[in-house]
Amino acid sequence: MSEDIPDDYDSWTDYYNSPIYHVRHEIAEILDNYSSYFTSFCVYFNMLHLFILLQKPLRSSSVFIIMMQICFFELVYFSSKFYLRNTFYSLPSSFEICPNNPCLIIYLHSEVSGLINDVSRRMFVCLMVQMALIRTIAITFPMSNWSQKFV
């Protein structure tokens, strides 16, 4: 146990009765209720962003190409989140594969969507780091010919 917390402190009871827990719970409930709206806003915003980035003058720079890839993977991620949220809750509750045996029911669309979420999230984070690295090199060595090839 930590030195900061006294021995007679019942952490779980005090935490669940604290006003901080209730505020966090209310905020989480509000965000959960409006999650579909936030996700659809992100999908539409990324579609607009991707449409702008696909214009001919912007396709020549490596930074804009990476931005297009980031936008594409964010679009895939948020579309998958939207699909998973709206289809998972629409499945009937009496859906059973193994009526006699207690078994783990695996929803294929849930697993595929989870895989798409994980891969696309990792991809756009890696691409963001790559874009930041290219911009850092271009700013650090502004007069070098090899750094201007990236930009």
Side-chain angles (χ1 to χ4, degrees), residues 81-98:
K81 291 287 264 192
F82 187 75
Y83 170 76
L84 181 64
R85 179 170 177 84
N86 291 331
T87 57
F88 183 70
Y89 292 120
S90 65
L91 287 175
S93 60
S94 63
F95 183 76
E96 295 182 18
I97 294 176
C98 307

Side-chain angles (χ1 to χ4, degrees), residues 110-121:
S110 171
E111 293 297 318
V112 169
S113 184
L115 177 68
I116 290 171
N117 283 343
D118 290 343
V119 169
S120 61
R121 185 175 43 213

